[in-house]
Amino acid sequence: MQNSHAIAAHWNGGFDEAGLSAWAAQLRAQLAAPRVSLGLVFLTPQFFPKAKEVLEILRIHAQIPLLAGCSSNGLISGTREVEKNAGLVLALHHLPGAELRALHFQQAQVEEANGPDYWHLKTGVNPDQTNGWLVFADPFHFDAEAWLRGWNEAYAPKPILGGLASGDYEAQTTQVYLNGDVFEEGGVAISIGGSVRLASVISQGCTPMGDTWTITKTDRNIIHEIGNSSAYKVLAETCNQQPPEIQKKLRGNLFVGLVINEYLEEFHRGDFLIRNLISADPNSGALAVAALPRQGQTIQFQRRDGAAATEDMTVLLERARQQLGGQPIYGGVLCCCNGRGSVLFGQPDHDARLVQERLGPLGLSGFFCNGEIGPVGERNFLHGYTAALALFVKQDPPPISSK
């Protein structure tokens, strides 16, 4: 998949120094741009012993000044999602006027952090110097939730997009990459500044059911009352109002959507943070959810299945296309939950194909994640069963002051 700003390609062989060198050089020659600004690389665990050598080959022969990425068992390139024996994916991006800064961060720093200034100092990036972050991190030895809370304090409402690597589950080993370095813990972050920004599409794979309601009684992660009625009763009535064919699909596929920004006049897809409905007790009338909802927060029940996820992503991609209004897109990164793909949709290439149909043709790369990172409203969250799409978009200059 090629344009003048990005190209992505899939290598499905093993480690072959001569072959990889020629392949990387050929990919660079196919990019119709004067220079590469950023390279993104995603490798399957078969390359773990040779990862450092692979990075050096790609950096040298594709002429990449900044290379980042991570490991995964499933990879994305162009319109394809390669879920088995995936090999390697490399994307080259030309980002005119972009100011890029990259760093590796560790769990020890997350534990040491004592406020926003800590991260501004460690990254060397203040909020007014970035338009957003692209992040890849290890899920096994790193507290991503704690890190994300700190970075929200430091950088929100700037978007943070990316995902948690996958790799060898038995050994609980993943890799993250920065230039020629291979790390088995922590994360890698790239600040996107200057004349390029990150636009996001966060498809959490759900379709709303019934009305929106106000939570009227809650205790930690337990919702007791919704709209001054038993929370269980509201859930049961919502489910019973669904068509029979939908009701058959609800068992195990029920979720809650919690509005993040209550100041909106209306609530639509993308305004809700989707979280698991853990249990529902008809005797007490309470619902347990995988979140800490607030009294007064707006809630809407959601269902998740292949059809719902297709509908959600289609609507959100179309909305993004309209909002971008013809602005140049310099390529994208697609981070998909490893519970999506053919497991959820019954066919390969679902998410990548939808992105290309609605926004393409794009130079698109990505991987299947152990957790996806992206914004809802003006804060960033760790998601599940989500497709988190980061788009490199031309940043409009600020208006000239008349003063």
Side-chain angles (χ1 to χ4, degrees):
M1 185 65 60
Q2 175 183 2
N3 64 25
S4 61
H5 290 99
I7 185 170
H10 173 229
W11 169 271
N12 61 3
F15 180 79
D16 172 358
E17 183 174 352
L20 278 168
S21 299
W23 177 76
Q26 182 182 34
L27 192 64
R28 173 62 188 96
Q30 291 173 0
L31 179 67
R35 65 181 181 86
V36 176
S37 308
L38 173 66
L40 297 175
V41 62
F42 306 103
L43 308 177
T44 51
Q46 74 186 76
F47 287 103
F48 279 3
K50 295 284 190 178
K52 197 169 182 65
E53 291 154 90
V54 170
L55 298 182
E56 283 305 310
I57 290 168
L58 300 182
R59 290 175 71 203
I60 292 169
H61 294 280
Q63 303 170 30
I64 304 171
L66 174 57
L67 179 66
C70 67
S71 65
S72 177
N73 291 292
L75 307 179
I76 297 169
S77 175
T79 59
R80 295 187 61 208
E81 298 173 10
V82 189
E83 299 181 56
K84 294 181 180 179
N85 304 315
L88 177 161
V89 162
L90 176 65
L92 305 179
H93 294 269
H94 173 58
L95 305 173
E99 297 174 6
L100 306 178
R101 297 282 296 272
L103 75 150
H104 172 245
F105 52 87
Q106 300 168 288
Q107 176 64 25
Q109 293 172 310
V110 175
E111 296 170 3
E112 182 181 89
N114 55 6
D117 290 345
Y118 175 92
W119 287 114
H120 300 160
L121 182 64
K122 289 294 182 182
T123 64
V125 178
N126 290 320
D128 60 354
Q129 295 174 308
T130 185
N131 299 323
W133 293 88
L134 190 61
V135 176
F136 311 115
D138 165 56
F140 295 127
H141 313 102
F142 179 71
D143 187 344
E145 292 276 14
W147 160 76
L148 196 50
R149 284 195 297 271
W151 274 45
N152 270 318
E153 291 178 9
Y155 295 108
K158 303 296 176 65
I160 303 170
L161 288 143
L164 305 185
S166 61
D168 186 334
Y169 289 100
E170 289 188 4
Q172 292 205 325
T173 301
T174 66
Q175 293 181 343
V176 292
Y177 311 120
L178 181 58
N179 293 323
D181 292 323
V182 176
F183 305 99
E184 291 188 351
E185 51 76 41
V188 166
I190 307 134
S191 168
I192 313 296
S195 300
V196 177
R197 66 181 177 91
L198 285 178
S200 66
V201 177
I202 307 300
S203 176
Q204 299 174 79
C206 284
T207 286
M209 299 193 312
D211 298 325
T212 56
W213 298 86
T214 300
I215 298 171
T216 48
K217 186 178 180 182
T218 182
D219 179 19
R220 295 185 60 79
N221 74 316
I222 306 298
I223 302 174
H224 292 282
E225 293 184 1
I226 297 173
N228 294 314
S229 295
S230 155
Y232 182 89
K233 178 184 176 183
V234 175
L235 171 62
E237 290 177 350
T238 300
C239 292
N240 290 335
Q241 290 167 2
Q242 301 304 305
E245 64 273 16
I246 297 297
Q247 291 186 36
K248 293 177 183 178
K249 300 178 180 180
L250 293 181
R251 182 176 293 274
N253 291 314
L254 279 171
F255 295 80
V256 296
L258 301 168
V259 164
I260 298 304
N261 181 3
E262 294 287 349
Y263 296 100
L264 300 172
E265 292 185 7
E266 296 180 346
F267 303 121
H268 303 283
R269 292 177 190 270
D271 298 329
F272 293 87
L273 176 66
I274 308 298
R275 287 297 185 252
N276 286 329
L277 176 61
I278 299 171
S279 64
D281 184 356
N283 295 318
S284 68
L287 307 178
V289 300
L292 296 175
R294 307 182 308 273
Q295 186 169 318
Q297 192 169 21
T298 300
I299 186 172
Q300 189 173 29
F301 294 108
Q302 314 271 331
R303 67 175 176 90
R304 176 181 283 154
D305 55 37
T310 298
E311 179 184 336
D312 186 62
M313 191 159 189
T314 301
V315 171
L316 292 174
L317 287 169
E318 181 60 25
R319 184 187 301 171
R321 188 185 67 81
Q322 294 175 4
Q323 289 174 343
L324 289 171
Q327 281 183 298
I329 302 175
Y330 300 142
V333 188
L334 181 58
C335 304
C336 287
C337 177
N338 53 26
R340 291 175 70 97
S342 56
V343 173
L344 181 62
F345 299 108
Q347 59 181 15
D349 308 330
H350 178 276
D351 291 333
R353 179 174 44 78
L354 273 181
V355 170
Q356 297 289 1
E357 287 175 359
R358 298 287 167 165
L359 300 176
L362 291 179
L364 182 72
S365 67
F367 67 107
F368 284 85
C369 312
N370 268 322
E372 303 74 55
I373 303 166
V376 177
E378 294 190 340
R379 291 185 68 79
N380 301 282
F381 296 90
L382 190 62
H383 304 277
Y385 289 93
T386 292
L389 173 64
L391 298 169
F392 300 108
V393 179
K394 182 178 181 181
Q395 169 80 335
D396 290 331
I400 299 173
S401 173
S402 59
K403 293 182 180 180

